[in-house]
């Protein structure tokens, strides 16, 4: 039987744990306002002290308890939301928030003494503090698990965030912990983890991205319409779920930590940058941790509970916290010139110095993939083979976008290479410097051994819109603890980069209608397309990231000029160039067509056709639209499509699936002229510019992916896909 509120209030007034006859009168100086309940306070305070006695990290702090009723010693705090509260002073362990003793503040005239410290023999100067925490993906028996990992000054804690039910506060469940004195850190290469990492299809990730873009659009629409908060809250919950799923499925680069018994735990991350960052923090702190220890179950529970207040990352680190279009990053193209690097010799004498640059750049220790040793002084003093890799963020995680050529036998490389990097809501540019070395004991060919690479240093540059938009080339020096990389950057916004402008020089091939070029050449497919495809199929089919990794802009420009001037030696030029520059030239040709390969007139029909839910109607619509293309456009597309399928057949070597290829070529082949760039939508439901762009790109990717995964040889255009019609 439940007790009614009135009966409970009446009983509470008569609730006493002491004999009131022994209570001193109120005018007595030693009158105790808590006389009736003092035994209860003493009981819990003593129990707190008996259960756990800490020997370090002890401090005194105040705590507030909300109180609505009448009370003489309640405190009026106008700056607080509740305003009227009871103030407590607590003696507690700072790292665990565990209370040993407490006392109630009764006002200015109180005679209560501060709570006594429990006996703390052997207190040392070691204070457990949180150094780093983030959401990570742990690989458990072949399954991906989302974890929140906390690195303290003396241990690494892996926790699982419990589901919040009924409005309860956030809680963590400890999965495991390793004292840093017992921990070993081991990066793993792809060959060691590829078998155990569950394969995630690219189309699955792209589907999640489409849902994220759509949910962001819906949130923007709800906010602009000034609708109630419940609808927005529901959408944000769905967005958080999708972003958590993307975070769970997207990483594939592994590293492992072991405890002193040899038990290993494997984490997945996106880049060497995160992997090196964790290794750096762990190794640096291990120099200060010489003693092993173990925690009791109570200590583990209290430490896990403290993580709720100590955490610095409060949500899935993607886009859930972004409220407006300004915070969604940059869309367009970033031109980056990697000039040179210096300081590799000097950095050897500083490899144990951890003075970080005051900008956003940090130094990373050298991590060898198959050992835990750092780079030695001797390895830095001799000439080495060096290259740089460039990464940008998109949908909350980082993707490799460009790579310089390997500068051999030097400690002061001078690349002077320009790259054009497409940005999709990007906010950060990362620079990773690698040393390339060869194992002659495991030869791949007679003259070259098996090549490996190891990270030398890392840094990053924030892409601040106020500093890059509308600016000319911006020079920048990225410092990484003695190593400096010199860059120049120029941003071209989406509004300008999307323009398809006809070339003034109609005798060339770039910026000239495809029908004009094929008629002039008396060919079915432009010579530039055939030449680039043949060269890539000759030596670039197994190149990792082909068509995704940017080529050197100066090489691309040289090839463009050669094709435009009908240079007879263009084939010889291509044979000496990096294959990524040839792939970049082919992409540039299609991007600079004055009209897209799928034509401005038919683009809206393709966008509507791909959105059809009936598979039969979709197939009929898409096939009819494809056959409606002008003959040069159709034959060129089918020729290119056959090539892209052959590239995807080598996915195990080049890491380029059909979906990856469609992501690269979809906007290139379908993006309409600026005046026609639109996606079917309800005009009464406005969406943000960034989300509109994302949805339109997704639609273009889906169109190309549809033709890539559908057997186009079953329709009357079968003969068009044969190589015999080309010559």
């Amino acid at each position: 039987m439940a007790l009614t509120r009135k009966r409970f209030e009446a009983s509470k007034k008569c609730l006493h744990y002491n004999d009131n006859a022994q209570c001193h009168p109120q005018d007595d100086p030693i009158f105790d306002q808590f006389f009736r309940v003092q035994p209860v306070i003493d009981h819990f305070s003593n129990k707190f002290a008996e259960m756990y006695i800490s020997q370090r990290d002890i401090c005194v702090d105040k705590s507030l308890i909300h109180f609505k009723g009448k009370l003489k010693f309640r405190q009026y705090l106008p700056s607080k939301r509740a305003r009227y509260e009871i103030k407590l002073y607590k003696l507690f362990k700072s790292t665990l928030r565990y209370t040993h003793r407490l006392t109630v503040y009764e006002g200015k005239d109180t005679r209560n003494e501060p709570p006594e410290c429990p006996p703390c023999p052997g207190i040392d100067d070691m204070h457990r503090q949180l150094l780093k925490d983030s959401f990570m993906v742990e690989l458990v028996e072949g399954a991906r698990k989302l974890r929140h990992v906390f690195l303290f000054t003396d241990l690494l804690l892996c926790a699982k965030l419990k589901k919040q039910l009924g409005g309860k506060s956030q809680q963590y469940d400890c999965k495991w912990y390793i004292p840093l004195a017992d921990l070993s850190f081991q990066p793993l290469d792809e060959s060691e983890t590829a078998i155990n990492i569950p394969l995630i299809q690219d189309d699955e990730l792209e589907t999640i991205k489409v849902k994220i873009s759509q949910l962001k659009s819906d949130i923007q629409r709800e906010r602009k319409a000034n609708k109630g908060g419940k609808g927005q809250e529901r959408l944000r919950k769905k967005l958080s779920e999708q972003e958590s799923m993307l975070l769970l499925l997207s990483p594939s680069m592994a590293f492992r930590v072991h405890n002193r018994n040899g038990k290993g735990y494997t984490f997945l991350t996106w880049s060497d940058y995160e992997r090196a960052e964790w290794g750096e923090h762990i190794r640096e702190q291990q120099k200060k941790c010489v003693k092993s220890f173990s925690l009791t179950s109570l200590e583990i529970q209290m430490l896990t509970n403290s993580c709720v207040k100590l955490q610095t990352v409060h949500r899935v680190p993607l886009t859930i916290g972004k409220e407006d279009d300004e915070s969604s990053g940059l869309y367009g193209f970033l031109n980056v010139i990697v000039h040179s690097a210096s300081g590799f010799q000097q950095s050897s004498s500083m490899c144990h110095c951890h003075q970080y640059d005051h900008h956003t750049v940090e130094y990373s220790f050298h991590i060898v993939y198959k050992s835990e040793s750092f780079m030695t002084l001797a390895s830095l003093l001799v000439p080495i083979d060096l290259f740089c890799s460039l990464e940008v963020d998109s949908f909350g995680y980082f993707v490799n976008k460009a790579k310089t050529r390997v500068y051999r036998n030097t400690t002061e490389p001078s690349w002077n290479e320009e790259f054009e990097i497409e940005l999709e809501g990007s906010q950060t540019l990362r620079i990773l410097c690698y040393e390339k070395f060869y194992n002659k004991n495991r030869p791949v060919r007679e003259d070259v051994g098996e090549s490996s690479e190891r990270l030398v240093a890392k840094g990053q540059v924030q892409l601040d819109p106020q500093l890059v938009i509308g600016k000319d080339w911006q020079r920048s020096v990225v410092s990484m603890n003695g190593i400096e990389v010199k860059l120049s950057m120029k941003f071209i916004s989406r509004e300008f980069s999307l323009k398809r402008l006809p070339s003034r020089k109609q005798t060339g091939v770039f910026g000239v209608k495809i029908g004009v070029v094929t008629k002039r050449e008396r060919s079915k497919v432009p010579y530039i397309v055939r030449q680039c495809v043949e060269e890539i199929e000759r030596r670039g089919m197994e190149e990792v990231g082909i068509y995704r990794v940017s080529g050197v802009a100066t090489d691309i420009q040289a090839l463009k000029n050669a094709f435009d001037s009908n240079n007879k030696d263009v084939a010889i030029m291509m044979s000496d160039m990096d294959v990524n520059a040839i792939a970049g030239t082919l992409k540039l040709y299609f991007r600079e067509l004055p009209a897209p390969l799928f034509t401005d007139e038919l683009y809206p029909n393709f966008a509507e056709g791909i959105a059809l839910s009936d598979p039969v109607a979709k197939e009929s619509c898409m096939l009819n639209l494809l056959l409606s293309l002008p003959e040069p456009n159709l034959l060129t597309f089918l020729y290119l499509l056959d090539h892209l399928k052959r590239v995807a057949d080598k996915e195990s070597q080049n890491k380029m699936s059909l979906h990856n290829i469609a992501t690269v070529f979809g906007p290139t082949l379908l993006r309409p002229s600026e005046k026609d760039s639109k996606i079917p939508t309800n005009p009464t439901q406005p969406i943000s510019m960034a989300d509109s762009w994302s949805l339109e790109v997704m639609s273009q990717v889906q169109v190309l992916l549809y033709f890539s995964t559908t057997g186009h040889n079953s329709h009357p255009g079968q003969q068009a896909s044969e190589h015999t019609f080309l010559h």
Side-chain angles (χ1 to χ4, degrees):
M1 180 178 177
L3 188 67
T4 64
R5 180 185 179 90
K6 290 184 177 180
R7 293 193 64 182
F8 173 75
E9 293 290 346
S11 302
K12 189 172 65 172
K13 293 180 179 179
C14 303
L15 191 62
H16 303 271
Y17 293 93
N18 255 338
D19 184 0
N20 287 346
Q22 300 179 10
C23 181
H24 295 274
Q26 294 188 13
D27 55 355
D28 194 309
I30 61 173
F31 169 70
D32 184 6
Q33 301 187 72
F34 300 101
F35 181 79
R36 291 188 292 182
V37 293
Q38 192 63 51
V40 177
I41 298 175
D42 293 340
H43 172 77
F44 282 106
S45 185
N46 293 332
K47 284 295 182 182
F48 288 160
E50 292 174 7
M51 289 292 293
Y52 177 72
I53 298 178
S54 176
Q55 297 184 0
R56 63 189 185 191
D57 305 335
I58 298 175
C59 63
V60 177
D61 199 359
K62 66 180 179 180
S63 179
L64 301 174
I65 301 176
H66 177 51
F67 187 82
K68 290 185 177 180
K70 295 182 179 180
L71 199 62
K72 183 178 181 181
F73 52 84
R74 69 175 182 174
Q75 304 297 307
Y76 176 64
L77 305 171
S79 61
K80 301 293 182 180
R81 184 177 180 181
R83 296 196 178 186
Y84 290 98
E85 298 181 275
I86 299 175
K87 185 186 295 186
L88 303 180
Y89 284 103
K90 303 189 301 182
L91 183 73
F92 69 101
K93 184 176 178 65
S94 59
T95 55
L96 302 181
R97 313 297 295 182
Y98 183 86
T99 300
H100 295 283
R101 300 283 179 88
L102 62 88
T103 185
V104 182
Y105 178 69
E106 300 180 41
K108 294 181 180 180
D109 296 329
T110 178
R111 295 178 179 270
N112 283 353
E113 298 295 329
E116 296 179 1
C117 288
C120 302
I123 293 181
D124 56 34
D125 294 328
M126 179 65 182
H127 297 280
R128 179 176 295 150
Q129 297 178 353
L130 180 65
L131 299 177
K132 178 179 176 64
D133 70 300
S134 74
F135 287 97
M136 298 186 70
V137 177
E138 184 184 11
L139 201 60
V140 182
E141 297 180 350
R144 295 169 181 258
K145 303 292 183 180
L146 188 61
R147 305 294 195 218
H148 200 153
V149 182
F150 298 85
L151 176 62
F152 291 91
T153 48
D154 60 343
L155 64 84
L156 183 72
L157 174 72
C158 180
K160 173 187 176 182
L161 185 63
K162 294 182 179 180
K163 291 184 177 180
Q164 294 177 256
L165 300 175
K168 292 184 178 180
S169 59
Q170 196 178 50
Q171 288 184 326
Y172 283 103
D173 179 26
C174 177
K175 305 305 294 184
W176 51 265
Y177 78 93
I178 304 177
L180 295 188
D182 301 332
L183 185 147
S184 61
F185 180 88
Q186 178 187 5
L188 304 173
D189 62 20
E190 294 181 2
S191 62
E192 295 177 274
T193 57
I195 299 177
N196 299 321
I197 297 178
L199 180 63
I200 305 299
Q201 297 295 331
D202 293 308
D203 55 350
E204 186 175 354
L205 296 178
E206 292 300 323
T207 300
I208 297 175
K209 291 180 182 179
V210 171
K211 292 180 180 179
I212 290 175
S213 297
Q214 186 62 58
L215 286 168
K216 290 175 62 181
S217 301
D218 294 341
I219 292 173
Q220 290 284 340
R221 187 169 58 249
E222 290 278 329
R223 190 164 64 88
K224 291 178 180 179
N226 293 323
K227 292 188 177 181
K230 290 185 177 180
Q232 288 190 42
E233 189 64 30
R234 184 172 62 254
L235 291 172
R236 290 185 182 279
K237 183 178 180 180
K238 292 181 179 179
L239 178 60
S240 179
E241 292 173 354
Q242 292 299 320
E243 292 189 326
S244 297
M245 185 62 65
L246 184 61
L247 176 69
L248 183 67
L249 299 180
S250 54
S252 60
M253 185 173 289
F255 71 86
R256 185 177 295 152
V257 294
H258 296 266
N259 61 18
R260 62 180 174 181
N261 298 322
K263 182 175 177 58
Y265 304 92
T266 302
F267 289 105
L268 300 179
T269 186
W270 298 273
S271 165
D272 268 336
Y273 197 101
E274 289 90 6
R275 186 162 69 173
E277 199 169 47
W278 278 96
E280 174 188 347
H281 280 86
I282 289 173
R283 289 190 175 100
E284 171 63 16
Q285 197 59 30
Q286 281 181 322
K287 297 176 183 179
K288 308 173 185 178
C289 300
V290 294
K291 294 182 180 179
S292 178
F293 61 89
S294 61
L295 301 178
T296 65
S297 57
L298 178 60
E299 288 177 314
I300 294 173
Q301 182 62 45
M302 290 188 295
L303 178 61
T304 307
N305 292 340
S306 71
C307 291
V308 177
K309 294 184 178 181
L310 295 176
Q311 63 180 334
T312 61
V313 181
H314 297 276
R315 56 171 63 91
V316 176
L318 299 179
T319 59
I320 187 66
K322 297 175 180 176
E323 295 292 337
D324 50 47
D325 192 43
E326 294 299 322
S327 63
S328 59
L330 297 173
Y331 288 81
F333 288 88
L334 183 69
N335 293 87
V336 180
I337 300 177
V338 183
H339 295 290
S340 61
S342 61
F344 288 96
Q345 287 183 336
Q346 291 83 350
S347 67
S348 62
S349 62
M350 302 173 64
C351 63
H352 295 292
C353 178
H354 304 285
Q355 298 296 325
Y356 297 119
D357 188 82
H358 65 282
H359 296 294
T360 60
V361 180
E362 295 181 347
Y363 170 77
S364 171
F365 278 124
H366 179 76
I367 293 180
V368 183
Y369 282 162
K370 296 185 180 180
S371 88
E372 296 180 21
S373 63
F374 294 116
M375 186 179 295
T376 62
L377 178 62
S379 68
L380 278 170
L381 291 177
V382 298
I384 53 180
D385 298 343
L386 298 166
F387 70 92
C388 279
S389 179
L390 304 179
E391 298 178 346
V392 295
D393 57 313
S394 178
F395 281 90
Y397 61 93
F398 283 80
V399 180
N400 176 256
K401 287 289 188 177
K403 184 172 67 174
T404 67
R405 70 181 186 276
V406 178
Y407 211 98
R408 301 185 182 280
N409 299 321
T410 184
T411 54
E412 294 187 356
S414 181
W415 294 287
N416 290 316
E417 297 181 22
E418 181 181 346
F419 302 93
E420 186 179 64
I421 299 174
E422 186 173 2
L423 304 181
E424 296 179 285
S426 304
Q427 297 176 324
T428 306
L429 171 69
R430 284 180 173 176
I431 303 95
L432 297 92
C433 295
Y434 289 89
E435 175 192 357
K436 198 174 188 70
F437 59 97
Y438 302 91
N439 183 357
K440 297 294 184 179
N441 297 324
R442 299 175 60 184
V444 178
R445 301 196 306 268
E446 293 182 2
D447 57 334
V448 180
E450 181 181 284
S451 65
S452 300
E453 53 201 38
R454 52 192 180 186
L455 185 63
V456 178
K458 64 179 179 64
Q460 63 183 24
V461 178
Q462 297 300 322
L463 301 177
D464 188 347
Q466 295 181 351
L467 299 179
V468 298
I469 293 180
K471 305 290 185 180
D472 203 352
W473 286 99
Q474 301 289 311
R475 192 95 174 189
S476 177
V477 177
V478 182
S479 300
M480 296 171 273
N481 201 69
I483 296 176
E484 292 186 346
V485 178
K486 297 179 180 179
L487 304 172
S488 291
M489 296 183 296
K490 182 174 70 171
F491 174 70
I492 303 175
S493 67
R494 186 174 58 207
E495 291 73 14
F496 292 98
S497 63
L498 290 182
K499 290 183 178 179
R500 291 184 182 269
L501 300 175
S503 173
R504 296 180 181 179
K505 184 181 179 182
Q506 289 298 303
T507 57
V509 293
F510 283 83
V512 180
K513 291 183 178 180
I514 195 169
V516 173
V517 174
T518 54
K519 184 177 181 180
R520 183 204 308 149
E521 297 176 348
R522 297 181 181 179
S523 62
K524 300 290 186 180
V525 173
Y527 172 72
I528 182 177
V529 176
R530 289 182 280 126
Q531 195 67 31
C532 290
V533 166
E534 289 172 5
E535 187 66 23
I536 291 171
E537 295 199 354
R538 185 175 70 85
R539 59 187 178 94
M541 298 294 279
E542 296 183 1
E543 179 75 15
V544 175
I546 186 69
Y547 288 119
R548 177 176 56 81
V549 176
S550 299
V552 179
T554 50
D555 291 346
I556 295 173
Q557 188 63 39
L559 284 176
K560 176 183 177 181
N561 294 335
F563 279 111
D564 269 341
S565 60
N566 195 23
N567 192 323
K568 302 297 183 182
D569 298 328
V570 67
I572 299 176
M573 290 177 58
M574 294 174 68
S575 63
D576 294 332
M577 287 187 176
D578 178 59
V579 71
N580 288 314
I582 299 169
T585 303
L586 182 60
K587 291 188 295 181
L588 182 65
Y589 169 73
F590 286 112
R591 201 171 75 212
E592 290 194 357
L593 285 174
L597 195 63
F598 280 58
T599 74
D600 285 330
E601 294 76 18
L602 293 178
Y603 172 72
N605 303 85
F606 279 108
E608 292 175 359
I610 198 63
L612 294 175
S613 56
D614 185 353
V616 177
K618 178 187 288 189
E619 180 180 3
S620 175
C621 176
M622 298 298 283
L623 176 59
N624 289 331
L625 288 172
L626 184 65
L627 296 178
S628 300
L629 291 174
E631 184 178 4
N633 299 54
L634 174 62
L635 299 183
T636 301
F637 171 66
L638 293 178
Y639 175 71
L640 178 66
L641 188 62
D642 281 343
H643 163 66
L644 297 180
K645 285 186 175 183
R646 288 191 291 274
V647 173
D649 289 340
K650 298 283 187 177
E651 180 186 356
S652 58
Q653 290 86 21
N654 58 37
K655 311 301 180 186
M656 291 298 290
S657 65
L658 279 174
H659 208 291
N660 282 338
I661 295 171
T663 302
V664 173
F665 272 95
T668 302
L669 301 180
L670 280 99
R671 174 180 52 81
S673 303
E674 185 182 19
K675 62 181 184 301
D676 299 312
S677 182
K678 57 185 178 181
I679 188 170
T681 185
N682 187 344
T684 62
Q685 297 179 345
I687 61 178
S688 70
M689 181 184 296
D691 296 331
S692 175
W693 162 255
S694 298
L695 292 173
E696 187 166 5
V697 168
M698 297 298 181
S699 175
Q700 295 160 2
V701 170
Q702 291 301 317
V703 170
L704 182 56
L705 186 62
Y706 179 82
F707 289 121
S708 301
T709 55
T710 303
H712 64 273
N713 288 340
S714 61
H715 58 70
Q718 175 181 357
Q719 294 81 7
S721 66
E722 302 296 330
H723 288 286
T724 56
F725 74 83
L726 299 174
H727 305 287

